[in-house]
Amino acid sequence: MIVRHFFALILSCSMVFGQAATTVPPAQTAATTPAATTLPPETPVVTIKGVCDPPAADCTTVITKAEFEGIIQAFQPQMKLPQQRQVGTSYGQLLTMAAEAKKRGLDKSARVQVRTKIAVMQALAGELRDSMQEQAGNVTDADAEKYYNDHKANYEQADVERLIIPKTPLPADKDATKGDKDDADKPAAKKPVTAAAKAAAAKAGAKAAPAKATAAKPKTAVVADEAGMAALAAKLRARAAAGEDFAKLQAEAFAAANIKGAPVDTKVPKATRATLPPNIFDLKSGDVSELIPDSRAFFVYKMGTKTTLSFEEAKNDVKTAMKNERMQEAQKAVSEIGTTTLNDAYFGPPEPAAAPGGPGRQPQSGPPSN
């Protein structure tokens, strides 16, 4: 937060003075930007004439390359030179404003004292956070390998199949067959028919009828309500356990829910324990889960072949996990040092806690809206 506040302040100084920060057109940047890395540390990079501390009739403040880079490193080390140029201009304006404020005695105001105190606390809190992150990230390969061996189950992967059955069907499209119905209701145009034409039509119809019946494909009926979808989900789960193709079952589930378009892919490659609902990864290869409900759908999982990443493959993930765990422990330890109590007579009673989102982890992918 202090980084954002600092640069928001420093980059807004030009607005206070009513002028824009100096910029260089993109086409000229490469030609006019100095080879910063070759300049000596004592090279002046920002010069502010007429400003100095303590004030004098004719003075100049000079910021060297080393001093300016110290500012950038403290707040945003990856800043590119074009942005650093803008900061250099705004920083000079900030120094000018601060010097003028001191000249007017504003540094002694109660408000400045409070703001300074809070700014110092923010800086110290930020430094503590950076220090804890640095310590947490100091993970040796030996520590990482021990963590990997102790948590090897976290680095298993499996190719899983997933079936999604929506809980609520979309309303049936009442106009879907309107065109056919309207056409059927229209009286046929009367044309003179010869005896030969009647005989040919009858013969053709006799041959076409069986063929038409053979070509007709059964359609999945749209389910009317949630109870029907729940019943269908149980049937589809049983068929999945019996070995039916998940892609076929998924198409039926979406058709029954009146969801148009192509069904979602049922294959979930390289799934891990963290990306699956609880206990799913404990299934044996080929096993099918029970129905797993969430607020929008029922889910069915089929476990595929499991593999385990080697330590070298998982090393970066292991170190990241260790850093995050250590950082959480460090933050928890610091947060338990002090206890804050608020006076309800002044602040009023605390607001009620928000209702939880739902029990446990739930599958992250629900049926898409079409």
Side-chain angles (χ1 to χ4, degrees):
M1 181 177 292
I2 185 172
V3 174
R4 292 199 302 270
H5 287 176
F6 175 84
F7 280 97
L9 175 63
I10 201 171
L11 294 176
S12 65
C13 287
S14 59
M15 297 177 62
V16 176
F17 277 90
Q19 59 185 20
T22 304
T23 58
V24 179
Q28 300 176 6
T29 300
T32 58
T33 299
T37 56
T38 64
L39 295 175
E42 65 275 9
T43 303
V45 295
V46 179
T47 303
I48 310 104
K49 291 184 178 181
V51 175
C52 58
D53 190 13
D58 184 15
C59 61
T60 300
T61 296
V62 174
I63 309 297
T64 66
K65 173 191 171 185
E67 291 170 335
F68 185 75
E69 288 181 349
I71 295 170
I72 297 299
Q73 286 295 318
F75 292 96
Q76 195 169 335
Q78 303 304 319
M79 181 179 288
K80 299 184 182 299
L81 275 176
Q83 287 72 45
Q84 290 186 30
R85 183 182 183 88
Q86 185 179 4
V87 169
T89 300
S90 297
Y91 186 67
Q93 295 171 348
L94 182 64
L95 285 177
T96 302
M97 293 180 68
E100 181 63 20
K102 279 188 175 183
K103 189 185 299 184
R104 300 184 184 189
L106 298 178
D107 56 318
K108 298 178 177 61
S109 73
R111 186 161 54 185
V112 167
Q113 299 303 316
V114 172
R115 288 176 174 176
T116 301
K117 182 179 179 180
I118 292 176
V120 170
M121 289 191 295
Q122 287 180 323
L124 288 171
E127 191 67 17
L128 175 63
R129 186 164 49 251
D130 292 345
S131 175
M132 291 192 301
Q133 286 180 338
E134 184 177 351
Q135 292 177 7
N138 186 20
V139 179
T140 65
D141 285 355
D143 289 341
E145 189 166 10
K146 182 181 184 307
Y147 183 95
Y148 167 81
N149 290 326
D150 292 341
H151 302 81
K152 192 171 288 188
N154 293 344
Y155 302 99
E156 288 183 293
Q157 294 182 340
D159 292 332
V160 175
E161 287 194 271
R162 178 186 58 200
L163 181 61
I164 304 172
I165 306 107
K167 279 188 171 182
T168 306
L170 295 180
D173 186 357
K174 297 181 180 179
D175 297 327
T177 59
K178 184 177 180 181
D180 295 338
K181 184 178 184 298
D182 290 346
D183 290 341
D185 291 341
K186 290 180 181 178
K190 295 183 179 180
K191 297 181 179 179
V193 182
T194 62
K198 288 182 179 181
K203 185 176 181 181
K207 290 181 179 181
K212 185 176 181 181
T214 303
K217 296 180 180 179
K219 294 183 178 180
T220 302
V222 175
V223 175
D225 52 27
E226 293 187 17
M229 290 303 301
L232 175 66
K235 293 178 181 178
L236 292 179
R237 186 269 160 195
R239 290 167 58 186
E244 286 200 43
D245 181 64
F246 265 57
K248 174 187 174 185
L249 298 176
Q250 184 64 77
E252 289 187 29
F254 273 31
N258 199 35
I259 296 177
K260 304 294 193 298
V264 295
D265 191 355
T266 60
K267 298 187 181 301
V268 184
K270 297 182 179 180
T272 64
R273 289 182 182 273
T275 60
L276 295 175
N279 304 323
I280 293 300
F281 213 94
D282 294 329
L283 294 173
K284 296 179 181 178
S285 181
D287 284 356
V288 173
S289 72
E290 298 297 327
L291 285 177
I292 301 175
D294 77 354
S295 60
R296 298 184 300 163
F298 297 98
F299 294 82
V300 180
Y301 289 85
K302 182 176 182 179
M303 180 55 63
T305 303
K306 297 180 183 180
T307 58
T308 303
L309 293 175
S310 68
F311 171 66
E312 288 301 322
E313 291 173 324
K315 183 159 62 173
N316 289 338
D317 290 339
V318 170
K319 289 189 174 183
T320 299
M322 292 183 68
K323 178 181 178 179
N324 291 340
E325 287 185 12
R326 289 179 176 183
M327 187 62 184
Q328 290 176 359
E329 291 172 0
Q331 288 176 324
K332 183 174 182 292
V334 171
S335 68
E336 291 175 348
I337 293 174
T339 302
T340 302
T341 303
L342 301 181
N343 187 340
D344 290 350
Y346 176 81
F347 290 102
E351 295 182 359
R361 289 181 298 175
Q362 295 292 342
Q364 297 180 0
S365 298
S369 57
N370 290 293

